[in-house]
Amino acid sequence: MRGLVNVDNIPKQAALPSAPRQHPAGNPRPGTSTPILPTRHLFQTIVNIAVGRTTEVVPVHRELLCSVSPVFEATFNRELGFRESHTSYCTLPETRVEVFQYFVQWLYTRSLEHEDLVGSKPAYSRLIRMYVLGDLLGATMLKNAVIDKMVEVVNQTLACPIPADTELLYQNTMETAKLRILMLDVFENRNIEKLIKTHEGNW
């Protein structure tokens, strides 16, 4: 089975604009502040997403996926003729199952309040992986939510990402990634020289 459709390979007339930073409720259309469909139409069709190397299948409502991800919207668009649009089956082999499950939670609740994402010892790596998934899916609203949550966690716990978190972020994002900018701000405000001395690992 093939995985996600690369939106760069879609004919120009079918290309979709990316969404601006916004946090509306309901079903936001990428690039606009208004819904594509009324909320009652968001839960009509189930598609199966096979996640990770174990290909664990996660059923999700297609309309909800497509409302936040132009990549999924293209993948499941029958007019574009991709196989996934007819089989209702798509693979994400490089995505961790738990990360996709966090994404599904956010998709249905618009909340990242999960015990594994927040707490006295925040799991920055999980938030970073969610940001990377947002990049893969073109889900700007998810990336914005991750940034907001990371700011909240940093302010509440005063904890800093460890070297492994920094490496994860820089190996999987572009130079222009807003999460990189946030990370630099965190280090600047937490005294980077002291962090390097007190945290083991390669910075």
Side-chain angles (χ1 to χ4, degrees), residues 99 126-138 142-143 146 168-169 171-173 179:
V99 173
R126 293 190 178 100
L127 289 171
I128 292 170
R129 291 185 192 281
M130 287 196 69
Y131 187 92
V132 172
L133 177 60
D135 249 354
L136 175 67
L137 302 180
L142 172 62
K143 294 195 294 181
V146 170
L168 176 65
L169 176 63
Q171 286 184 347
N172 293 280
T173 59
L179 193 56

Side-chain angles (χ1 to χ4, degrees), residues 160-163 166 183-199 203:
C160 283
I162 62 175
T166 308
M183 189 81 77
L184 291 175
D185 287 343
V186 170
F187 288 146
E188 182 178 357
N189 290 323
R190 294 289 188 272
N191 189 336
I192 185 62
E193 292 183 3
K194 182 178 180 181
L195 283 173
I196 293 175
K197 291 179 181 179
T198 57
H199 288 71
W203 291 86

Side-chain angles (χ1 to χ4, degrees), residues 4-176:
L4 290 174
V5 171
N6 186 338
V7 291
D8 293 331
N9 295 332
I10 300 173
K12 291 184 178 180
Q13 62 270 24
L16 298 168
S18 59
R21 181 178 177 81
Q22 55 185 6
H23 298 277
N27 176 21
R29 181 181 183 83
T32 73
S33 58
T34 57
I36 305 171
L37 299 169
T39 303
R40 66 182 182 277
H41 295 311
L42 285 177
F43 309 102
Q44 293 187 322
T45 310
I46 293 291
V47 293
N48 293 305
I49 312 299
V51 185
R53 296 182 180 180
T54 60
T55 61
E56 180 172 329
V57 175
V58 180
V60 191
H61 285 96
R62 183 190 66 196
E63 296 82 6
L64 202 55
L65 281 175
C66 295
S67 73
V68 301
S69 169
V71 175
F72 274 128
E73 187 170 0
T75 299
F76 292 116
N77 186 337
R78 290 197 173 190
E79 293 183 0
L80 297 178
F82 296 114
R83 182 189 307 168
E84 292 81 359
S85 66
H86 295 279
T87 62
S88 296
Y89 183 93
C90 179
T91 60
L92 289 174
E94 301 303 320
T95 299
R96 295 189 177 191
V97 174
E98 67 270 18
V99 173
F100 192 76
Q101 290 173 338
Y102 299 145
F103 163 65
V104 172
Q105 172 191 295
W106 171 84
L107 187 65
Y108 283 92
T109 67
R110 291 300 192 269
S111 171
L112 293 176
E113 294 297 329
H114 191 286
E115 60 184 4
D116 291 337
L117 298 177
V118 296
S120 59
K121 295 182 179 180
Y124 288 116
S125 62
R126 293 190 178 100
L127 289 171
I128 292 170
R129 291 185 192 281
M130 287 196 69
Y131 187 92
V132 172
L133 177 60
D135 249 354
L136 175 67
L137 302 180
T140 302
M141 286 179 54
L142 172 62
K143 294 195 294 181
N144 289 340
V146 170
I147 289 175
D148 289 345
K149 177 55 65 177
M150 187 168 286
V151 169
E152 178 185 323
V153 171
V154 167
N155 289 334
Q156 288 179 349
T157 66
L158 300 181
C160 283
I162 62 175
D165 297 332
T166 308
E167 182 178 4
L168 176 65
L169 176 63
Y170 275 75
Q171 286 184 347
N172 293 280
T173 59
M174 303 290 288
E175 288 186 12
T176 55

